[in-house]
Amino acid sequence: MENPERPEPAGGTLYVVSTPIGNLRDITLRALDILRSVDIIAAEDTRTTRVLLDAYNIDTECMSCHSRNENRRTHTILRMLEEGKSVAVVSDAGTPALSDPAGRLIAAAIDAGFPVIPIPGPSAALAALVASGFRMDRFRFEGFLPLKRKRRARLAELATETRTVILYESVHRLRKTLVELRQYLGPRRVSVSRELTKRHEETVRGSMDEVIEYFERNEPRGEFVIVIAPPAEKDTAPPDQE
Ligand code: SAM
């Protein structure tokens, strides 16, 4: 098939490349082309990214760019873009900057006038949303709930939310968070997806109480996304028919 788009990668351009959230085959042909041909890849963890690159025989140079060095790395990467180099930024899994590093780099590159091109691909949030079956025409992505001070205020705010809500959660806090959500949001329907795209992928759907009970009986393992249905009764209406 002929590629109708402009030649890639272009010099002085930052590519924000989505990578698999588990299954290494979930990567686009274009993402592979970009990763193979840019001058350098800025990776959240170079060892994690190397596993992906090795699977596709890509030997592009990598440098680390994680939450602790992102400010410093941003300067380095802006200099590279100025020199006309092409740079791809990736996180460990999914779409960079979504509850992941790269947001500051992206904003700085835009401010400095460099083209920033997204290479779309997997994200656990959207995969879990479609697996929920809840209303998806409007939704709220919350990422991780704050751990301390602002947590209660955020939960109280979510109680008034009328759209479907997507939360990321770690294995250690899943049970506690579900109980808090039950307490603050009341008896909503909920869908919890774990290990999406991987061998032990599972989506548990039901009332808050049913799902809490399920995870009391079954030890949580892996990575989780919690999707909460809107409070309205018609929470699974076909999105584009209204
Ligand atoms: N940038 C990533 C994305 O686009 O999905 C998210 C990164 S965030 C640091 C990691 C969280 O995403 C995990 O704690 C979990 O909530 C969710 N996650 C990532 N991969 C997942 C998977 N395969 N199954 C379920 N949840 C996943």
Side-chain angles (χ1 to χ4, degrees):
M1 195 167 59
E2 197 182 329
N3 181 357
E5 312 303 335
R6 59 189 157 170
E8 291 178 329
T13 299
L14 178 67
Y15 293 92
V16 184
V17 181
S18 297
T19 59
I21 55 169
N23 189 324
L24 285 187
R25 292 175 64 78
D26 286 332
I27 182 138
T28 68
L29 298 174
R30 184 171 171 225
L32 291 175
D33 285 346
I34 292 288
L35 293 176
R36 188 168 282 120
S37 52
V38 285
D39 292 303
I40 191 150
I41 299 170
E44 180 180 7
D45 181 331
T46 54
R47 284 162 307 179
T48 305
T49 297
R50 192 48 71 191
V51 173
L52 173 69
L53 299 181
D54 285 349
Y56 291 97
N57 295 318
I58 295 172
D59 58 9
T60 307
E61 187 187 338
C62 289
M63 67 190 253
S64 72
C65 180
H66 44 69
S67 49
R68 292 176 312 285
N69 72 358
E70 190 174 343
N71 286 341
R72 201 158 21 96
R73 284 300 197 222
T74 294
H75 289 296
T76 314
I77 292 168
L78 291 186
R79 248 195 345 264
M80 290 173 162
L81 294 171
E82 233 164 66
E83 289 163 7
K85 294 199 168 123
S86 52
V87 180
V89 61
V90 297
S91 61
D92 285 351
T95 300
L98 280 193
S99 299
D100 258 346
R104 280 174 278 169
L105 169 63
I106 292 168
I110 292 168
D111 277 353
F114 296 107
V116 172
I117 307 283
I119 308 294
S123 171
L126 290 186
L129 175 66
V130 295
S132 75
F134 301 151
R135 283 193 67 143
M136 355 191 150
D137 50 340
R138 298 171 73 231
F139 60 87
R140 169 168 175 173
F141 173 67
E142 269 296 314
F144 293 97
L145 283 174
L147 291 185
K148 295 193 185 126
R149 220 163 28 87
K150 296 186 179 147
R151 189 174 176 90
R152 274 193 266 166
R154 188 69 56 83
L155 282 161
E157 195 190 312
L158 287 181
T160 63
E161 177 57 65
T162 56
R163 296 167 293 183
T164 300
V165 173
I166 306 171
L167 294 172
Y168 286 158
E169 193 46 282
S170 84
V171 62
H172 312 291
R173 275 186 297 272
L174 180 79
R175 284 167 163 162
K176 177 174 176 277
T177 296
L178 286 173
V179 170
E180 284 177 318
L181 289 168
R182 170 74 180 81
Q183 192 185 331
Y184 279 82
L185 277 64
R188 302 278 187 93
R189 291 169 62 220
V190 67
S191 171
V192 175
S193 289
R194 75 174 188 105
E195 295 292 90
L196 288 160
T197 78
K198 304 185 202 175
R199 184 186 297 267
H200 298 294
E201 171 165 352
E202 178 185 33
T203 294
V204 182
R205 307 174 187 87
S207 69
M208 213 55 109
D209 288 333
E210 286 164 345
V211 174
I212 288 170
E213 203 217 315
Y214 177 88
F215 284 108
E216 270 161 14
R217 281 186 282 110
N218 300 276
E219 179 74 24
R221 288 208 176 84
E223 299 194 276
F224 292 86
V225 183
I226 303 171
V227 185
I228 306 156
E233 280 165 34
K234 280 173 45 195
D235 54 11
T236 54
D240 50 3
Q241 299 296 313
E242 299 197 341

